[in-house]
Amino acid sequence: MTTPAVPESPRIPEAVHRRRWAILGVLMLSLLIVVLDNSILNVAIKTISTPPPVGLGATQGELEWAINAYTLVFAGLLFTAGLLGDRLGRKKVLVFGLVVFGLGSALAAESGSPVQLIIFRAIMGIGAAFVMPATLAILMNVFERDEQPKAIGIWAGGVGIAIAIGPITGGLLLDHFWWGSVFLVNVPIVIIAVVLMLALVPDSRDPKPGRIDLVGVALSVVGLVLLVYGIIKGGQLADFTDPAVLLTIAAGLVVLVGFVLYEKRSDHPSIDITYFKNKVFSAAIAAIALVFFALMGVTFFSVFYTQSVRGYSPLQTGLLMLPLAAAQLIFAPRARLVVDRFGVRATTTGGLVILAAMLAAFTILDADTPIWILEVIFFLMGMGMAHVMTPTSVVIMQALPREKAGSASALSNTFRQVGGALGIAVLGSVLSTAYRSGIEDKLGLLPAGLRHTAGESIEATIGVAAKLGPRGDALVGAANDSFLHAMHVTAVCGAGIALVSAVVTILFLPGRPPRTPAEENTEETVGAGR
């Protein structure tokens, strides 16, 4: 006769447990600020690329850097931010991150040039690096294990809320105020979040933290910056065989290899390489990175499609993205139910296949395609994303002990952000290269000094065409045709990446867990009662 197992006693203090959902609301507000900023910027990039006084006259390369300066600093510091949260207290680093993010936002709003905007966006990235991992780490420490999948699903749904609010807010602001207002709007949200954080959220930390890995942080940041800079430069030149491009990319890869080797030998690594011996953990991390690689690259060009080719305003573009956000909001909290029914592998792979199909569907979009088709594509993309993000986040967070929640969250978010940065850089460069190749023959009548500038992006071409008056009409038509071809090529590349991710998940993620005797008895009882 066996002794019945003693139920595991709750590990969360009762006072914290009672207000856990209010705490989750505060964490989602903090997450909202970080995600909101990028989704607002996606709508504003066309305005920022417009010459002064309306915008800053940023080139496509400068726009990519305005996005990636934030993302690279964010990704590079996530290791350290996660460790500092585990060591000093997650609430403390979260509040610090919010304050830095708010300061960077205020400075970015007053940028006088693309270079200043890139610098201040990097400051915002520093703040965001301390916010994002702390939200998920605190969540893991205020919910018991059985409620964590539901809480993570709601947390992931918060991304959908931000995706919805961001473009619409950005569109409204750009319709009534100057472009800097899309950054200034972060400041009051930061103030509210800090006040609520201090009032409601408990602090937590790792009882056995490691030392801070300064060398690892430096190597990761330098390696990522070199790699992404080389990729963006290759796209600007439309020549990836250029010696400067090849050397920069190679240097970035060498530094990143050095980072991995250093981390393996360090007694206090930023990232514990042994985590990746767990195939399930590695597959979940890879899935997140590849999904954001595909998604961020495609989102980058979709804004130019809706505004430059189709002629929609920033506000209309934000409204067009609502189906993507709504699908995330609807399906992310419910994805755990699909996982319970079909398992992590089937749920995640199915989501990735849907995402790949929708990315490929961009190839059917033309200058006069009914806009409802784009809406259907966005909705199904959001649905696919929701069934990838929630299961993989749960797998990653539950693979490590609760006290290492900051490190697990940092790893998840690091690979997500690195994947997104590389997606914008690589697919943005594919778009730029394909566009330049398509438009080059049409620029022969322009003065030599204008040809290179006009070939950089559709916005640059349209800007030059506007100065030519009626003679520029033909150039606008050629720009639209070249952009659509470049968009189709880029979409196919994004779909291919999503399919690669699907192969990874189907090979390595776990299937449906075996049913327990209690579950089988319950099913038999239900069946007998029918």
Side-chain angles (χ1 to χ4, degrees):
M1 181 176 176
T2 58
T3 305
V6 178
E8 185 180 347
S9 59
R11 299 178 60 185
I12 311 299
E14 180 59 30
V16 174
H17 183 74
R18 280 200 305 269
R19 63 177 191 268
R20 65 194 184 285
W21 298 109
I23 292 169
L24 178 59
V26 179
L27 297 177
M28 287 177 64
L29 181 61
S30 303
L31 174 71
L32 181 79
I33 301 167
V34 175
V35 180
L36 181 79
D37 179 71
N38 267 343
S39 59
I40 282 182
L41 185 61
N42 282 336
V43 174
I45 53 179
K46 180 180 181 295
T47 305
I48 293 170
S49 69
T50 306
V54 176
L56 292 176
T59 65
Q60 184 154 320
E62 287 169 335
L63 287 174
E64 289 177 18
W65 269 110
I67 295 171
N68 283 331
Y70 173 92
T71 306
L72 285 177
V73 174
F74 188 8
L77 291 179
L78 276 169
F79 299 135
T80 304
L83 287 172
L84 280 174
D86 289 343
R87 183 187 184 98
L88 303 177
R90 287 131 191 169
K91 177 179 176 178
K92 292 185 184 71
V93 300
L94 203 160
V95 170
F96 168 78
L98 286 171
V99 171
V100 173
F101 186 86
L103 177 63
S105 297
L107 292 171
E110 299 299 327
S111 300
S113 68
V115 172
Q116 286 185 7
L117 178 61
I118 291 167
I119 292 169
F120 296 141
R121 286 276 298 162
I123 292 173
M124 293 171 68
I126 295 171
F130 285 87
V131 172
M132 181 72 93
T135 61
L136 198 49
I138 291 171
L139 181 155
M140 298 298 288
N141 280 274
V142 298
F143 285 91
E144 296 292 353
R145 189 175 179 87
D146 60 334
E147 281 190 320
Q148 286 172 2
K150 181 180 180 181
I152 290 174
I154 295 171
W155 179 88
V159 176
I161 297 173
I163 292 173
I165 294 173
I168 295 170
T169 305
L172 285 169
L173 290 170
L174 292 171
D175 274 1
H176 296 92
F177 304 101
W178 94 115
W179 64 266
S181 60
V182 301
F183 298 110
L184 200 59
V185 72
N186 293 330
V187 177
I189 304 175
V190 164
I191 293 170
I192 293 169
V194 168
V195 171
L196 292 173
M197 188 72 55
L198 294 173
L200 289 174
V201 178
D203 209 353
S204 61
R205 67 184 73 193
D206 183 354
K208 297 178 181 178
R211 287 184 290 147
I212 304 303
D213 176 22
L214 296 177
V215 175
V217 171
L219 288 173
S220 65
V221 172
V222 170
L224 285 169
V225 169
L226 286 172
L227 177 62
V228 175
Y229 178 80
I231 293 169
I232 292 175
K233 194 66 179 175
Q236 283 180 309
L237 299 175
D239 181 11
F240 281 87
T241 61
D242 183 275
V245 172
L246 289 175
L247 283 172
T248 307
I249 292 175
L253 291 172
V254 168
V255 174
L256 289 174
V257 169
F259 166 71
V260 172
L261 294 175
Y262 177 83
E263 295 298 287
K264 287 178 72 174
R265 295 173 182 171
S266 174
D267 59 356
H268 58 286
S270 291
I271 173 172
D272 190 339
I273 302 299
T274 60
Y275 294 158
F276 292 93
K277 292 180 180 179
N278 182 330
K279 291 181 180 178
V280 172
F281 180 84
S282 297
I285 287 282
I288 281 182
L290 291 172
V291 161
F292 271 78
F293 182 102
L295 190 73
M296 291 296 288
V298 172
T299 303
F300 184 77
F301 71 63
S302 67
V303 173
F304 286 99
Y305 170 71
T306 53
Q307 292 188 45
S308 300
V309 177
R310 302 301 298 264
Y312 289 101
S313 70
L315 175 56
Q316 289 170 326
T317 296
L319 292 170
L320 287 173
M321 295 184 73
L322 269 178
L324 176 67
Q328 285 235 44
L329 192 57
I330 293 167
F331 292 107
R334 293 169 175 78
R336 64 189 174 82
L337 304 176
V338 183
V339 171
D340 290 343
R341 179 73 177 84
F342 299 103
V344 173
R345 182 193 301 149
T347 303
T348 307
T349 304
L352 286 165
V353 170
I354 291 171
L355 182 62
M358 291 307 101
L359 293 174
F362 269 89
T363 59
I364 68 174
L365 298 179
D366 237 323
D368 53 1
T369 303
I371 203 65
W372 65 263
I373 294 178
L374 177 64
E375 299 296 86
V376 171
I377 290 172
F378 275 153
F379 184 82
L380 293 176
M381 280 178 68
M383 184 176 75
M385 278 289 294
H387 288 91
V388 175
M389 288 301 303
T390 301
T392 51
S393 295
V394 172
V395 166
I396 291 166
M397 294 305 295
Q398 293 192 342
L400 300 183
R402 187 194 292 260
E403 60 271 16
K404 298 295 182 184
S407 300
S409 178
L411 278 172
S412 171
N413 285 295
T414 296
F415 279 84
R416 181 186 306 172
Q417 295 304 319
V418 170
L422 291 177
I424 291 170
V426 174
L427 295 184
S429 295
V430 170
L431 181 73
S432 180
T433 302
Y435 178 78
R436 187 184 289 276
S437 299
I439 198 69
E440 221 159 24
D441 294 341
K442 313 296 191 302
L443 302 177
L445 297 177
L446 294 177
L450 281 179
R451 286 177 204 161
H452 181 80
T453 302
E456 275 201 349
S457 66
I458 184 173
E459 278 305 302
T461 308
I462 291 173
V464 170
K467 296 175 183 176
L468 298 177
R471 292 183 303 145
D473 291 345
L475 193 55
V476 171
N480 286 342
D481 291 341
S482 297
F483 178 82
L484 286 169
H485 169 70
M487 181 180 81
H488 295 161
V489 171
T490 309
V492 169
C493 293
I497 295 295
L499 285 176
V500 169
S501 185
V503 171
V504 171
T505 58
I506 205 167
L507 288 177
F508 298 111
L509 285 186
R512 185 182 177 190
R515 290 182 301 171
T516 64
E519 288 173 328
E520 290 177 355
N521 291 336
T522 301
E523 187 169 306
E524 287 172 7
T525 302
V526 171
R530 286 175 182 163

